[in-house]
Amino acid sequence: MTAIIVIVVIIAVLGFVVLGAYNKLVALDQKADQAFADIDVQLKQRNDLIPNLVETVKGYAAHEQGTLNAVTQARAAAAGATTVDQKVNADNMLTGALGRLFAVAEAYPDLKANTNFLELQRELSDIENKLAAVRRFFNNAVAEFNAVRAQFPTVLFAGLFGFGTEKPFFAVDTADRAAMTAAPPSVKF
């Protein structure tokens, strides 16, 4: 009789451990998905803003068609991206294209002084700041999920419950990483 009680207690304890691990993985998976959805919201706002920005620049710098086309193509790629990797790549491409667009705007003083352009630039800057914040939140959620998934005893059950692979981070592309590691520009007066 004692042996049966010990076996039942062991099975109950194992059941609680497995249930706790499963619930923890589900909660962290949902947190990471929610964080990615927050990124999607900000990316959508940015994508909605870009046509107005392109049209404003087009009015002043119509012969900069290559830059304007690059922004439009990058926006279309970002809008069509469905996976995390596709969204990261499209986001990096769009960020680069927008950087070139603002570099073009520097050559047109009338454009830089245009209130519509300034307002669009301010809105885009605000969205970029929000994107940076939600990307950090997403990467924290992914890091927490990946850590719990790899820890004992969760690692024993993660594959069985469909959490066998690590979630990817929203990372900086290689061109931006190279720019970050390069020496900062010197300022001379």
Side-chain angles (χ1 to χ4, degrees):
M1 183 69 178
T2 305
I4 292 173
I5 292 173
V6 169
I7 290 172
V8 169
V9 168
I10 290 173
I11 290 173
V13 168
L14 286 176
F16 283 119
V17 169
V18 171
L19 185 65
Y22 177 77
N23 286 340
K24 183 77 172 179
L25 286 170
V26 168
L28 293 174
D29 186 49
Q30 290 296 316
K31 184 178 176 183
D33 288 347
Q34 177 194 357
F36 192 74
D38 291 345
I39 292 172
D40 262 352
V41 168
Q42 295 302 318
L43 291 175
K44 171 129 179 41
Q45 285 182 347
R46 183 172 72 174
N47 281 348
D48 291 346
L49 181 70
I50 288 172
N52 293 333
L53 187 65
V54 168
E55 286 301 316
T56 302
V57 173
K58 197 181 285 183
Y60 287 89
H63 61 280
E64 300 285 354
Q65 199 60 41
T67 303
L68 298 173
N69 286 342
V71 172
T72 302
Q73 290 172 351
R75 180 187 175 270
T82 55
T83 66
V84 173
D85 288 337
Q86 288 174 344
K87 287 182 188 268
V88 169
N89 290 335
D91 179 60
N92 289 333
M93 189 168 70
L94 186 56
T95 299
L98 286 173
R100 288 189 298 278
L101 181 69
F102 287 120
V104 164
E106 290 295 320
Y108 298 92
D110 290 344
L111 173 61
K112 288 183 355 185
N114 180 292
T115 54
N116 285 341
F117 180 75
L118 292 174
E119 180 62 24
L120 290 168
Q121 195 174 25
R122 188 197 59 74
E123 284 182 42
L124 191 60
S125 176
D126 185 45
I127 290 172
E128 291 295 334
N129 289 336
K130 289 177 182 174
L131 266 171
V134 294
R135 284 181 190 135
R136 278 193 303 273
F137 182 73
F138 174 75
N139 284 341
N140 285 337
V142 166
E144 189 176 359
F145 172 82
N146 289 340
V148 168
R149 190 193 67 74
Q151 292 173 343
F152 185 81
T154 312
V155 70
L156 300 175
F157 314 110
L160 294 173
F161 298 142
F163 301 106
T165 58
E166 285 191 348
K167 288 188 174 284
F169 289 99
F170 213 97
V172 175
D173 75 345
T174 53
D176 288 341
R177 188 171 307 282
M180 289 185 316
T181 58
S186 61
V187 178
K188 295 179 181 174
F189 296 101

